[in-house]
């Protein structure tokens, strides 16, 4: 087993944020980008060959950061790292109450963030298995999630809010299919669907940020469905797309579910 110092100097070569050749106090401050535990998880991913290097952050949010990284072939991967801070805990708490997957851990902040990371991984997996456009999940451990990078070596695909859409109605219909098939096939409701969580890749829109997605069996799932539809309709109406009535979309999602249960 390598010592922490050995691990740190190994990591310094592979993580851009640590490449400062600093020592002592300075190093400690720099190292705060990743706490010790997170650094150990990333080290494991590297020694397991899942990632090779971590480059620049594509996003620094309140709950965590997303990094552009590369695997051993030099191909892009996304590394999403959740902060285990109180504020993250507070924001996520409202999604976690009433979810049986989090039973018995609401008092343990760290455990809950780990469970959240696992939940995002599993949700991505369910969407992917239903052939819906999300980043393919690759691995997770503790507060770190590795997934397919949407974009290329030059950078991440833009959020849909920053894109001038060629055919807004076509893109709108793709997102409505994501909502409807997400409910019917993946049996999930995203719950935070907006122009911020849709990236526009070369192959079309890709839905990200699936940590809060809920199984359609949860109380409140229909309410989340309604909210997702309202958000998507609002955005695409402004873009000039031909909008479908929310009731129609709801019906399409819910009807199929009843049919499925009968067969
Ligand atoms: N798989 C990915 N590929 C490329 N960029 C990503 C990926 N996941 C996230 N991002 C970028 O990071 C930002 C934040 O990610 P997101 O999952 O929405 O986390 P949060 O909104 O909770 O901070 C996104 O808006 C996007 O720009
Ligand atoms: Mg987001």
């Amino acid at each position: 087993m390598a010592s922490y110092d050995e691990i740190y100097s190994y990591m310094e070569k592979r993580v851009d944020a640590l490449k400062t050749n600093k020592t002592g106090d300075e190093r400690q401050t720099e190292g705060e980008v990743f706490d010790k535990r997170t650094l150990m998880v990333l080290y494991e991913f590297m020694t397991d060959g899942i990632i090779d290097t971590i480059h620049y952050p594509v996003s620094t949010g309140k709950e965590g950061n997303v990094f552009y990284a590369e695997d051993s072939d030099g191909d892009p991967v996304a590394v999403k790292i959740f902060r285990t801070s109180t504020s993250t805990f507070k924001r996520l708490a409202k999604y976690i109450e009433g979810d049986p997957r989090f039973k018995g851990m609401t008092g343990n902040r760290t455990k809950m963030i780990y469970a959240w990371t696992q939940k995002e991984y599993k949700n991505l997996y369910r969407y992917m298995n239903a052939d819906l456009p999300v980043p393919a999940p690759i691995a997770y451990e503790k507060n770190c999630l590795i997934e397919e990078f949407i974009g290329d070596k030059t950078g991440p695909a833009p959020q849909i809010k920053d894109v001038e859409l060629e055919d807004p109605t076509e893109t709108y219909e793709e997102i409505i299919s994501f909502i409807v098939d997400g409910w019917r096939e993946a049996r999930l409701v995203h719950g935070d669907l907006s122009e911020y969580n849709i990236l526009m890749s070369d192959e079309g829109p890709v839905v990200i940020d699936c940590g809060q997605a809920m199984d359609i069996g949860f109380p409140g799932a229909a309410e989340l469905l309604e909210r997702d539809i309202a958000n998507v309709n609002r955005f695409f109406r402004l873009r000039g797309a031909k909008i479908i009535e929310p009731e129609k979309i709801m019906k399409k999602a819910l009807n199929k579910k009843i049919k499925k249960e009968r067969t």
Side-chain angles (χ1 to χ4, degrees), residues 188-233:
L188 286 172
V189 54
H190 186 280
D192 194 16
L193 202 56
S194 75
E195 59 274 28
Y196 292 88
N197 286 331
I198 302 169
L199 303 185
M200 204 58 195
S201 82
D202 292 343
E203 283 106 76
V206 177
V207 176
I208 60 163
D209 213 357
C210 298
Q212 70 294 311
M214 294 296 252
D215 189 277
I216 60 167
F218 290 125
E223 214 172 292
L224 290 176
L225 177 67
E226 244 182 298
R227 204 174 67 185
D228 282 352
I229 294 169
N231 275 333
V232 167
N233 276 4

Side-chain angles (χ1 to χ4, degrees), residues 58-66 77-78 80 82 91 120 135 147-151 155-159 192 196-197 199 208-210 212:
V58 289
S59 159
T60 52
K62 275 194 289 291
E63 283 92 37
N65 299 329
V66 178
V77 283
K80 188 168 178 178
F82 293 92
R91 196 195 73 104
E120 176 148 21
E147 59 185 45
E148 179 189 353
F149 187 79
I150 307 303
Q159 292 168 322
D192 194 16
Y196 292 88
N197 286 331
L199 303 185
I208 60 163
D209 213 357
C210 298
Q212 70 294 311

Side-chain angles (χ1 to χ4, degrees), residues 65-250:
N65 299 329
V66 178
F67 289 87
Y68 170 87
E70 284 175 353
D71 65 15
S72 47
D73 295 326
D75 290 328
V77 283
V79 179
K80 188 168 178 178
I81 301 172
F82 293 92
R83 259 187 260 289
T84 52
S85 61
T86 320
S87 59
T88 312
F89 181 77
K90 277 184 186 152
R91 196 195 73 104
L92 306 186
K94 68 168 188 257
Y95 291 102
I96 283 164
E97 284 158 16
D99 186 337
R101 288 176 284 190
F102 292 94
K103 221 176 162 188
M105 52 174 78
T106 41
N108 187 328
R109 204 174 75 201
T110 307
K111 253 192 181 172
M112 237 176 68
I113 306 293
Y114 293 174
W116 183 267
T117 310
Q118 180 190 53
K119 186 180 165 220
E120 176 148 21
Y121 178 91
K122 288 186 170 175
N123 287 341
L124 288 174
Y125 202 85
R126 271 166 77 167
Y127 277 129
M128 183 183 68
N129 268 351
D131 276 332
L132 294 167
V134 295
I138 297 169
Y140 73 92
E141 176 71 26
K142 293 188 176 159
N143 58 326
C144 301
L145 173 63
I146 318 284
E147 59 185 45
E148 179 189 353
F149 187 79
I150 307 303
D152 57 31
K153 278 174 181 283
T154 64
Q159 292 168 322
I160 204 166
K161 71 177 178 62
D162 298 323
V163 178
E164 204 176 309
L165 298 169
E166 255 171 58
D167 186 344
T169 301
E170 186 187 60
T171 309
Y172 169 68
E173 284 170 358
E174 286 174 314
I175 298 302
I176 295 305
S177 293
F178 179 91
I179 295 176
V180 171
D181 294 342
W183 185 281
R184 291 170 175 178
E185 311 294 337
R187 304 181 78 76
L188 286 172
V189 54
H190 186 280
D192 194 16
L193 202 56
S194 75
E195 59 274 28
Y196 292 88
N197 286 331
I198 302 169
L199 303 185
M200 204 58 195
S201 82
D202 292 343
E203 283 106 76
V206 177
V207 176
I208 60 163
D209 213 357
C210 298
Q212 70 294 311
M214 294 296 252
D215 189 277
I216 60 167
F218 290 125
E223 214 172 292
L224 290 176
L225 177 67
E226 244 182 298
R227 204 174 67 185
D228 282 352
I229 294 169
N231 275 333
V232 167
N233 276 4
R234 172 194 44 75
F235 173 74
F236 281 94
R237 183 173 287 117
L238 289 172
R239 293 301 178 93
K242 194 168 172 285
I243 301 301
I244 307 167
E245 274 171 55
E247 298 73 30
K248 261 194 183 159
I249 304 167
M250 289 288 285

